[in-house]
Amino acid sequence: MKAELIAVGTEILTGQIVNTNAQFLSEKMAELGIDVYFQTAVGDNEERLLSVIDIAAKRSDLVILCGGLGPTEDDLTKQTLAKYLGKKLVFDSQASQKLDDFFSTRPQYARTPNNERQAQLVEGSIPIQNVTGLAVGGLIEADGVRYVVLPGPPSELKPMVNENLVPLLSQDHKRLYSRVLRFFGIGESQLVTVLSDLIDEQTDPTIAPYAKTGEVTLRLSTKATSEAEAIARLEGFESQILSVKTLEGKALKELCYGYGDDNSLAQTVVNLLKEKGKTLTAAESLTAGLFQSSIADISGASQVFAGGFVTYSLSEKAKMLGIAKEDLEGHGVVSAFTAEKMAEQARLLVGSDFAISLTGVAGPDELEGQPVGTVFIGLASEKSVTSIKVVIGGRSRADVRYIATLHAFNLVRQALLSDEILV
C-alpha cells in the first residue's frame, strides 16, 4: 500500500510551527508495512487543497490529511474533502455529545455555531474519536483510495492514531520489523562498498546504512505476518552481512559491536565489564573527562567504575599520576610512552582490573610536531600495557575528542572479548 501525507495549515508554510506529525505518521506507517511515498504541506486555501487531494488520489492508496479540523473559517479540511468526494458533512453523535458535555461543564466558555463543525465528518466515514480534543476524525474509502482526516495538534493526533487508526489500518497488512546493527572501525563508504552485492540485489529484507559521528549503523527491515517469521528472516540476512569481509580482510562480525538505535559503545563496554566482573578506570588528557562522563551516563556504572583522573597539563600528569616529569618531557605528552604510563599508573593508583588513557592533539594547532587529530590510547591490565595510535583527520576539535573516546571504548571492548583476556 502506498501512502501520502498532507499537512494542512498556512502556519506550517510560514515556519510558525514545525510539522512533527509527518515524522510520527511516517514511523507508524512503516511499522504497519505501509510505504509513505509523498509528504506535502498546503495552506488553508480550498482551491490549493483540492488540487493537492486530487494529485494524491491519483498516485496513492492511502491519503492522510492532518490539520484544519477546528471551528474557525480557515479550518477547511473536512469541507474540502467532502466537496472533492461529492459528499455532504454529517454530525457524529458521539462527537456531538462530547461538545455538549464540554460546554455544560465550562460555563466560562461561550458556545458558538461554528463549534458544531468539530462534530462533523464526511458522510460515510468511520469516526475516529478524539480522546484529548473536540474535533472528530474519520476514515472513508472512495474509488479504491482510503482517506483519513486527523486534527493538527500532536496532543490530539497521536492518541487518535495509536488507539483508533492503527487498528483500522492493521487489517490484512504485513508489519514492518527492523533490526539495527552498529559498527565501529569502518566508514560508511567502505561498508556500502563491501555490501554492494547484497544492496544491489535487496528486495526483502532491505538494508539502509546511516553514518553517525565516528560509527555506522545498518537498519535491516522486513515485512512479515508474525514476529517469529521476521526474526528468522532477519537473522539469516544478518549472518550473510556479518560474514562479508572488509577491504583489509576483516569479517564485519569483528566490527559489529551491538544492536539498536539507543545502544552505544559505552553501554556495550559497561555491560561487558559487569558480565565479566571486571573494573575500569581512566586517565584523560585531550578528552578532559569525556570518556569518564560517558560511563557515568549509564545506569549502574558505579559497579565497574570507581573513579579516574583528568590530567590535562604535563605537570598534572606528573603530580597526579606519579610519572617522572623528565620522562614526560623527554618522550612528549603526545606519545605512546605517555599513554602507556598514564594507563599503568592510573590502574595501580585505583586498583582496577583495567585502565584506559587518552592523550593527543584535539586542535586547532599542532602540538609537539604532531598534527591535529593524532591520538594515543593506552590500555593497562595486571599482565600488560599496550597502546594504539589513531589519526582522526578532517574533524572539528569536538569531533576529535568524541571519536577518540569511541576508539578507547572499542579498545576495552576488544580486550574483554579476547580469547586471552589481559587479566
Side-chain angles (χ1 to χ4, degrees), residues 181 183 186 191 194-195 197-198 207 218 220 234-256 259:
L181 310 183
F183 295 84
I186 186 170
L191 187 58
V194 299
L195 293 176
D197 289 344
L198 288 174
I207 308 172
L218 289 181
L220 315 184
L234 290 173
E235 285 184 348
F237 199 41
E238 179 186 332
S239 296
Q240 279 185 273
I241 289 169
L242 296 185
S243 65
V244 172
K245 294 189 180 297
T246 68
L247 300 179
E248 295 79 24
K250 285 185 178 180
L252 288 181
K253 184 177 181 179
E254 298 176 45
L255 304 177
C256 180
Y259 299 88

Side-chain angles (χ1 to χ4, degrees), residues 164-235:
N164 297 310
L165 182 59
V166 166
L168 288 173
L169 297 179
S170 295
Q171 303 166 10
D172 304 321
H173 286 293
K174 292 182 177 181
R175 289 183 64 89
L176 185 74
Y177 295 86
S178 296
R179 174 178 298 184
V180 174
L181 310 183
R182 304 183 71 96
F183 295 84
F184 181 79
I186 186 170
E188 183 186 21
S189 58
Q190 185 183 159
L191 187 58
V192 170
T193 298
V194 299
L195 293 176
S196 59
D197 289 344
L198 288 174
I199 292 173
D200 291 343
E201 297 168 5
Q202 66 180 331
T203 52
D204 186 344
T206 59
I207 308 172
Y210 298 94
K212 297 175 178 286
T213 303
E215 59 178 304
V216 187
T217 65
L218 289 181
R219 182 178 294 276
L220 315 184
S221 301
T222 185
K223 292 178 181 177
T225 55
S226 69
E227 186 175 7
E229 177 189 345
I231 289 172
R233 197 175 295 159
L234 290 173
E235 285 184 348

Side-chain angles (χ1 to χ4, degrees), residues 119-394:
Q120 290 181 317
L121 70 167
V122 179
E123 182 183 22
S125 296
I126 298 172
I128 301 176
Q129 297 301 332
N130 192 333
V131 181
T132 56
L134 297 176
V136 66
L139 182 153
I140 185 170
E141 185 167 341
D143 299 323
V145 180
R146 283 181 169 184
Y147 301 88
V148 174
V149 175
L150 297 168
S155 60
E156 297 180 27
L157 178 142
K158 290 181 179 181
M160 292 171 74
V161 170
N162 288 330
E163 297 175 24
N164 297 310
L165 182 59
V166 166
L168 288 173
L169 297 179
S170 295
Q171 303 166 10
D172 304 321
H173 286 293
K174 292 182 177 181
R175 289 183 64 89
L176 185 74
Y177 295 86
S178 296
R179 174 178 298 184
V180 174
L181 310 183
R182 304 183 71 96
F183 295 84
F184 181 79
I186 186 170
E188 183 186 21
S189 58
Q190 185 183 159
L191 187 58
V192 170
T193 298
V194 299
L195 293 176
S196 59
D197 289 344
L198 288 174
I199 292 173
D200 291 343
E201 297 168 5
Q202 66 180 331
T203 52
D204 186 344
T206 59
I207 308 172
Y210 298 94
K212 297 175 178 286
T213 303
E215 59 178 304
V216 187
T217 65
L218 289 181
R219 182 178 294 276
L220 315 184
S221 301
T222 185
K223 292 178 181 177
T225 55
S226 69
E227 186 175 7
E229 177 189 345
I231 289 172
R233 197 175 295 159
L234 290 173
E235 285 184 348
F237 199 41
E238 179 186 332
S239 296
Q240 279 185 273
I241 289 169
L242 296 185
S243 65
V244 172
K245 294 189 180 297
T246 68
L247 300 179
E248 295 79 24
K250 285 185 178 180
L252 288 181
K253 184 177 181 179
E254 298 176 45
L255 304 177
C256 180
Y257 73 81
Y259 299 88
D261 286 312
D262 300 324
N263 197 3
S264 66
L265 269 168
Q267 180 73 67
T268 299
V269 167
V270 169
N271 290 344
L272 283 170
L273 287 166
K274 290 179 182 178
E275 178 187 321
K276 296 181 179 294
K278 303 298 181 183
T279 56
L280 175 68
T281 188
E284 299 180 66
S285 183
L286 87 154
T287 47
L290 184 58
F291 180 91
Q292 295 168 73
S293 175
S294 299
I295 294 178
D297 284 339
I298 298 165
S299 177
S302 59
Q303 298 174 39
V304 298
F305 177 73
F309 307 86
V310 175
T311 56
Y312 211 66
S313 67
L314 185 149
S315 61
E316 289 305 313
K317 289 178 178 66
K319 183 169 66 176
M320 294 175 68
L321 296 173
I323 305 172
K325 189 173 182 180
E326 55 270 25
D327 288 341
L328 292 172
E329 291 172 339
H331 291 88
V333 294
V334 186
S335 66
F337 170 85
T338 297
E340 291 176 13
K341 291 301 290 184
M342 287 172 66
E344 181 180 30
Q345 289 299 105
R347 194 195 73 80
L348 290 173
L349 290 167
V350 174
S352 60
D353 296 309
F354 289 98
I356 200 82
S357 67
L358 297 106
T359 184
V361 191
D365 302 315
E366 291 186 355
L367 179 64
E368 298 177 347
Q370 299 276 15
V372 173
T374 303
V375 179
F376 288 90
I377 303 171
L379 178 66
S381 71
E382 184 180 351
K383 292 186 176 180
S384 65
V385 182
T386 187
S387 63
I388 61 171
K389 179 182 178 180
V390 179
V391 179
I392 305 167

